[in-house]
Amino acid sequence: MAKQRILEIWQAALDAGHPEWVLLPYSQPDAEQARKDRFFNGRACSRGHVVPRTVPGGHCTACERTYQTQYAGVRRAAEINATPDWLTADDHSEIRGVYTKAARLTEATGIPHHVDHIVPLKHPLVCGLHIPKNLQVLTGTENVQKNNSFDGTLENEGWRGK
């Protein structure tokens, strides 16, 4: 890499108030080779953010954070809309227990666990409810694999093995 380009990257990190970013790899291939999850090339994304980028994908970390925040808000709104008024205090306690179980499994195993809706909250054919009987704990990998699948049964195991 040319000395001028390195100086530009250093200046961009200093201008952003994060001199530590100069310690990151300067390109996605360099980051992949170094087994890092981020790199800093000193260039602005399409929205003007001069921040580190993700590996893989080269996505702007500021844009990713905004997207995740928006997604979490939309997801939370879907849960609220899918929570019926007739749930009892015991039902709400049971729901909290499922989330606690997922957190404990994550902590105990080091493997991320998620709370999944067996019947999805948003699906073209059906809308599940945010109730205890519709919740299960899956590993993060399983939950991503399942995605928004629904096979028409309450067991909803059709996504496994795909």
Side-chain angles (χ1 to χ4, degrees), residues 21 38 47 54 69 72 75 107 116 118-119 123 129 132 138 142 160:
W21 289 349
R38 297 181 309 150
R47 292 192 173 105
T54 62
T69 302
R75 181 71 181 169
E107 188 175 329
D116 172 66
I118 298 164
V119 179
H123 187 275
L129 295 175
L138 298 176
E142 288 175 320
R160 292 193 187 271

Side-chain angles (χ1 to χ4, degrees), residues 4-153:
Q4 180 62 34
R5 181 69 189 120
I6 292 172
L7 290 174
E8 289 171 6
I9 292 171
W10 283 34
Q11 189 61 55
L14 291 172
D15 290 347
H18 290 277
E20 70 275 12
W21 289 349
V22 301
L23 301 174
L24 293 171
Y26 298 147
S27 69
Q28 186 167 338
D30 291 345
E32 289 169 349
Q33 186 176 4
R35 297 184 179 193
K36 301 287 184 182
D37 63 350
R38 297 181 309 150
F39 66 95
F40 182 69
N41 63 11
R43 293 190 176 113
C45 75
S46 61
R47 292 192 173 105
H49 303 125
V50 181
V51 295
R53 297 184 175 243
T54 62
V55 174
H59 303 289
C60 164
T61 55
C63 291
E64 281 288 307
R65 192 170 34 255
T66 300
Y67 170 78
Q68 291 299 329
T69 302
Q70 289 171 346
Y71 174 80
V74 168
R75 181 71 181 169
R76 182 71 189 125
E79 283 182 3
I80 289 169
N81 289 335
T83 304
D85 293 336
W86 47 258
L87 284 184
T88 66
D90 287 344
D91 291 329
H92 286 286
S93 178
E94 195 174 338
I95 288 171
R96 284 190 302 275
V98 175
Y99 283 90
T100 300
K101 177 182 177 182
R104 285 186 179 146
L105 283 168
T106 297
E107 188 175 329
T109 65
I111 298 168
H113 284 73
H114 298 173
V115 175
D116 172 66
H117 291 86
I118 298 164
V119 179
L121 296 183
K122 287 186 163 188
H123 187 275
L125 303 176
V126 67
C127 293
L129 295 175
H130 188 62
I131 60 173
K133 295 203 180 315
N134 193 35
L135 300 178
Q136 65 182 343
V137 176
L138 298 176
T139 65
T141 302
E142 288 175 320
N143 197 29
V144 168
Q145 254 181 335
K146 180 180 177 270
N147 193 13
N148 199 30
S149 299
F150 182 63
D151 64 10
T153 69

